[in-house]
Amino acid sequence: MPTPSIAPALHATPHAEAGASSFARKARFWDRIAPKYAAEPIADMAGYEATLQRVQALLPPAADVLEVGCGTGSTAMRLAPFTGRMLATDVAPGMIAIARERLAAQPVPKLGFALADADAPGQGQGAYDVVLAFSMLHLVEDLDHALKLLVQALRPGGLLISKTPCINEMNPLIPRLALPLMQAIGKAPQVLCFDAPQLQAALVRQGLEIVSVERHGTRGKDIRVFIVARKPG
């Protein structure tokens, strides 16, 4: 697999300079909560396991896989044995440090972790058969721009597999009142608010073909939409 550049492009242009500020802001927030994030149990374990099984069934044999927004690496470590090779990235050095500690304690030869920003170039050009984006598409600065970069990282016929909280499917008081308040006191990151049809439309705008739209939650209403999309071959 070609080794992609993993350092975010944070220089040379005004757009890149804005990216540098965004990168630093996101990294600070997620670094601050990384230890707590790593210790928190998965709220819906049955739904999580259903997602893992679904992804495993979708992975081509010996696939080159990229995961963006990998957090502390738990999902990557579960899925990497079913790939040919897997690179998992996150914007926060603290998250990647924990992921590497876990990998050192439980080696997975096919897996590597790296620091990278999903909003910045650096994912590689046509380097991957599958790109995974779990619980992170609502956290990017510009959804269309981030999706464009992820599509560029895919080979023709490759799959973008995502699972995304759709904030606009929550109680309206949450995105309108609770979320801004939490953001103002530093308890929540900046997020994009959309519903599942809007996310699907964004994927289609980047030329992707929607293969499947699913919900894997087992505890009441599930706002986390699981979407499989294919880059035309």
Side-chain angles (χ1 to χ4, degrees):
M1 176 180 69
T3 302
S5 170
I6 59 173
L10 302 180
H11 59 278
T13 68
H15 178 77
E17 291 174 2
S21 174
S22 167
F23 180 90
R25 173 177 53 77
K26 289 183 289 187
R28 282 195 300 270
F29 176 85
W30 293 108
D31 275 348
R32 187 171 71 249
I33 71 166
K36 179 181 177 183
Y37 179 90
E40 286 182 345
I42 294 171
D44 183 359
M45 182 59 74
Y48 177 69
E49 292 292 341
T51 296
L52 289 179
Q53 292 176 16
R54 182 72 170 104
V55 175
Q56 290 173 22
L58 289 164
L59 293 176
D64 292 328
V65 178
L66 170 69
E67 182 187 4
V68 292
C70 70
T72 55
S74 298
T75 298
M77 293 185 67
R78 292 285 302 275
L79 292 175
F82 302 94
T83 71
R85 185 178 300 183
M86 184 171 183
L87 175 66
T89 68
D90 198 89
V91 71
M95 295 285 190
I96 292 297
I98 294 172
R100 286 173 171 164
E101 290 174 2
R102 289 177 167 176
L103 186 61
Q106 185 179 342
V108 181
K110 299 177 180 180
L111 177 61
F113 290 105
L115 186 67
D117 184 0
D119 283 297
Q123 285 85 1
Q125 297 288 321
Y128 299 98
D129 302 298
V130 178
V131 172
L132 306 175
F134 299 137
S135 298
M136 59 78 56
L137 290 180
H138 64 307
L139 299 174
V140 300
E141 296 285 325
D142 182 323
L143 181 59
D144 285 299
H145 178 68
L147 288 175
K148 179 181 179 180
L149 296 175
L150 298 183
V151 172
Q152 289 174 352
L154 281 171
R155 294 171 179 146
L159 296 178
L160 173 58
I161 304 174
S162 61
K163 187 174 183 179
T164 311
C166 294
I167 307 301
N168 278 353
E169 297 182 6
M170 302 175 76
N171 184 312
L173 292 178
I174 294 177
R176 294 177 185 175
L177 296 176
L179 184 58
L181 177 60
M182 293 178 67
Q183 291 169 337
I185 61 176
K187 296 297 185 181
Q190 295 298 309
V191 300
L192 300 177
C193 296
F194 47 71
D195 57 23
Q198 290 170 322
L199 177 55
Q200 291 177 63
L203 292 163
V204 171
R205 282 197 297 273
Q206 298 307 317
L208 292 168
E209 302 168 349
I210 304 298
V211 176
S212 181
V213 179
E214 307 168 18
R215 308 271 178 158
H216 297 162
T218 65
R219 295 187 174 184
K221 181 180 179 180
D222 186 5
I223 66 164
R224 299 162 299 174
V225 62
F226 179 89
I227 300 178
V228 182
R230 178 178 288 111
K231 182 176 181 176

